[in-house]
């Protein structure tokens, strides 16, 4: 993915903060809930511990491990200076020896001792740069929008494949393998996925060895990435005719999802969006279940490039802004039917939240 606009934004943010160097360090873990600093600045996913340095003249230097990854990074980022190193903290200390005001992003994800070495080298001259990295990552570009749309198309195609092949007796891990193959074949560069079925689920987990049965409620989160832009598709299906209670509870959660989408407008607080969804559940008699351990969040940002607005919770006082791409999902455990997934990936434009899916999620029936 082109990182030109993000890099320009990062240069401006660093200049406005009075910095003469900005550093981002990546573990290459690629957590879909967090931005990857090197990916944000270069558009290229590192395969090992890596870092970038944006100096006072705006020139980009990238330090990579293992050293054999230098050629790949040079092809991806031809305008940057790429160097293979064995010791990232030591190389950073050398590069930053003359810098007086430094912003650093990504230290919180490093192993403790490694982060401590970097902090020791620059502590008196550095500030936390994580928020600047997030702001740069959230720049709304045509490239990022196109990647998100393609990722959603991949997720929907994978889910349609699930509906076509899932059957009682199939193991969860077999179904997960099928979806991974589909996602990769369609162009996903990563695919985080949770999937499991049960008669009364208490959560959602990675696929296991359990054989699916008639009457199971199957919950799945398909989370593919295209050029570093993740999206998430939360869906629920049932093997055989659903109970009236499941139909009713799913419809209630669907109303909560729609209320959250309607509330997600530029300038609104993230907490307001969460409260609106919680209110729908409270009115249905499930107010006591709008908290841990019955649910985690009502949605969340999507790294590896940007994770704004963060977790959709009642205590997140952040502001919803145009260009944000995240998932809204009032999914949770209900005492009547177990764990149910409902929600949509959205993008915020001037009007509000626009679902990126071609059709809203519904309670799908397999083999009725």
């Amino acid at each position: 993915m082109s990182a030109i606009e993000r890099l320009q934004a990062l240069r401006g943010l660093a200049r406005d903060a009075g910095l003469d160097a900005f550093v981002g360090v990546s573990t290459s873990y690629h957590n879909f809930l967090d931005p990857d600093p090197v990916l944000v600045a270069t558009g290229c996913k590192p395969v090992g511990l890596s870092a970038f340095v944006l100096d006072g003249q705006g020139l980009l230097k990238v330090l990579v491990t293992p050293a054999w990854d230098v050629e790949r990074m040079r092809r991806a980022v031809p305008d940057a200076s790429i160097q293979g190193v064995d010791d990232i903290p030591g190389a950073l200390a050398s590069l930053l020896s003359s810098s007086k005001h430094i912003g650093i992003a990504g230290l919180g994800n490093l192993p403790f001792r490694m982060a401590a070495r970097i902090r020791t080298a620059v502590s008196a001259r550095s500030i936390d740069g994580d928020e600047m990295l997030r702001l740069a990552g959230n720049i709304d570009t045509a490239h990022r929008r196109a990647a998100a749309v393609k990722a959603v198309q991949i997720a929907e195609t994978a889910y349609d494949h699930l509906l076509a092949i899932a059957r009682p007796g199939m193991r969860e891990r077999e179904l997960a393998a099928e979806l991974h193959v589909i996602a990769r074949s369609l162009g996903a560069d990563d695919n985080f996925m949770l999937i499991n079925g049960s008669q009364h689920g208490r959560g959602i987990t990675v696929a296991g060895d359990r054989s699916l049965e008639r009457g199971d409620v199957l919950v799945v989160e398909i989370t593919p990435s295209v050029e570093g832009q993740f999206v998430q598709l939360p869906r629920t299906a049932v093997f055989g005719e659903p109970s009236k209670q499941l139909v009713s509870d799913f419809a209630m959660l669907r109303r909560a999802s729609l209320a959250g989408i309607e509330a997600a407008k530029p300038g609104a607080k993230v907490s307001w969006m969460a409260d609106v969804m919680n209110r729908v559940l409270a009115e249905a008699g499930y107010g006591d279940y709008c908290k841990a351990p019955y649910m985690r969040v009502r949605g969340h940002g999507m790294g590896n490039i940007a994770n704004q607005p963060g977790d959709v919770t009642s205590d997140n006082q952040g502001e919803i802004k145009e260009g944000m791409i995240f998932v809204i999902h009032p999914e949770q455990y209900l005492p009547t039917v177990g764990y149910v997934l409902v929600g949509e990936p959205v993008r915020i434009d001037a009007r509000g939240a626009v679902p990126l899916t071609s059709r809203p999620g519904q309670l799908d029936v397999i083999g009725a």
Side-chain angles (χ1 to χ4, degrees):
M1 175 180 283
S2 172
I4 295 173
E5 295 96 336
R6 297 196 297 271
L7 200 56
Q8 289 174 340
L10 198 52
R11 287 189 180 107
L13 290 164
R15 182 180 59 251
D16 293 345
L19 303 178
D20 54 15
F22 189 93
V23 179
V25 188
S26 168
T27 62
S28 76
Y29 180 64
H30 306 309
N31 183 343
F32 79 90
L33 293 175
D34 289 319
D36 181 295
V38 171
L39 176 62
V40 170
T42 67
C44 184
K45 279 187 174 182
V47 298
L49 182 66
S50 304
F52 75 85
V53 176
L54 196 61
D55 67 20
Q57 287 72 48
L59 299 178
L60 181 65
K61 300 180 177 69
V62 184
L63 308 174
V64 301
T65 67
W68 51 255
D69 195 38
V70 167
E71 291 306 317
R72 182 185 69 94
M73 187 67 76
R74 282 177 179 158
R75 290 192 298 270
V77 199
D79 296 331
S81 171
I82 313 296
Q83 181 181 353
V85 300
D86 295 322
D87 179 12
I88 291 287
L92 285 175
S94 177
L95 280 175
L96 299 170
S97 61
S98 61
S99 298
K100 297 180 180 180
H101 304 287
I102 306 165
I104 302 184
L107 282 186
N109 292 326
L110 292 182
F112 177 80
R113 290 183 179 179
M114 188 172 294
R117 285 185 62 197
I118 297 174
R119 287 191 180 97
T120 298
V122 300
S123 59
R125 300 168 288 148
S126 68
I127 64 170
D128 187 338
D130 285 336
E131 183 60 23
M132 282 188 277
L133 186 86
R134 292 188 189 100
L135 290 172
N138 201 57
I139 295 296
D140 186 25
T141 68
H143 212 124
R144 183 179 175 219
R145 292 193 296 271
V149 168
K150 183 176 179 181
V152 170
Q153 292 170 345
I154 291 171
E156 289 189 312
T157 301
Y159 183 65
D160 287 342
H161 183 65
L162 175 152
L163 295 177
I165 68 168
R167 63 189 185 277
M170 195 174 194
R171 297 185 187 277
E172 292 174 354
R173 55 178 170 78
E174 292 176 310
L175 195 53
E178 287 274 351
L179 300 193
H180 277 302
V181 169
I182 288 290
R184 291 286 189 168
S185 70
L186 293 174
D189 54 60
D190 202 346
N191 182 31
F192 176 83
M193 185 164 58
L194 301 176
I195 179 170
N196 59 275
S198 68
Q199 301 286 313
H200 189 93
R202 296 187 179 276
I204 183 169
T205 65
V206 295
D209 203 43
R210 181 182 181 275
S211 293
L212 299 167
E213 302 174 2
R214 185 171 178 80
D216 274 357
V217 176
L218 183 67
V219 290
V220 56
E221 286 184 343
I222 305 173
T223 312
S225 163
V226 171
E227 298 187 70
Q229 176 61 56
F230 279 93
V231 300
Q232 187 169 92
L233 187 73
R235 291 292 183 259
T236 299
V238 59
F239 287 89
E241 286 296 332
S243 67
K244 291 182 179 179
Q245 186 67 56
L246 180 58
V247 170
S248 175
D249 283 344
F250 185 92
M252 179 269 298
L253 288 173
R254 178 65 187 153
R255 291 195 303 274
S257 176
L258 292 173
I261 291 171
E262 177 62 27
K265 299 186 183 301
K269 296 289 187 183
V270 177
S271 58
W272 166 249
M273 181 170 44
D275 290 343
V276 164
M277 287 185 272
N278 288 339
R279 191 174 303 128
V280 174
L281 276 85
E283 291 172 352
Y286 294 117
D288 289 341
Y289 291 85
C290 295
K291 60 185 178 183
Y294 310 108
M295 50 81 66
R296 191 181 77 83
V297 296
R298 295 306 187 196
H300 49 76
M302 303 298 303
N304 280 142
I305 295 169
N307 66 349
Q308 292 182 328
D311 287 343
V312 179
T313 63
S314 293
D315 57 2
N316 184 343
Q317 296 304 307
E319 185 177 298
I320 298 169
K321 298 178 181 178
E322 284 191 52
M324 288 182 175
I325 295 173
F326 57 100
V327 64
I328 295 174
H329 61 36
E331 60 186 49
Q332 72 165 77
Y333 171 82
L334 297 173
T336 48
V337 295
Y339 205 82
V340 180
L341 268 63
V342 184
E344 308 296 333
V346 301
R347 175 181 170 272
I348 304 297
D349 68 12
R351 300 165 296 168
V354 180
L356 297 174
T357 44
S358 63
R359 61 189 186 278
Q362 60 184 14
L363 180 60
D364 292 294
V365 177
I366 299 172

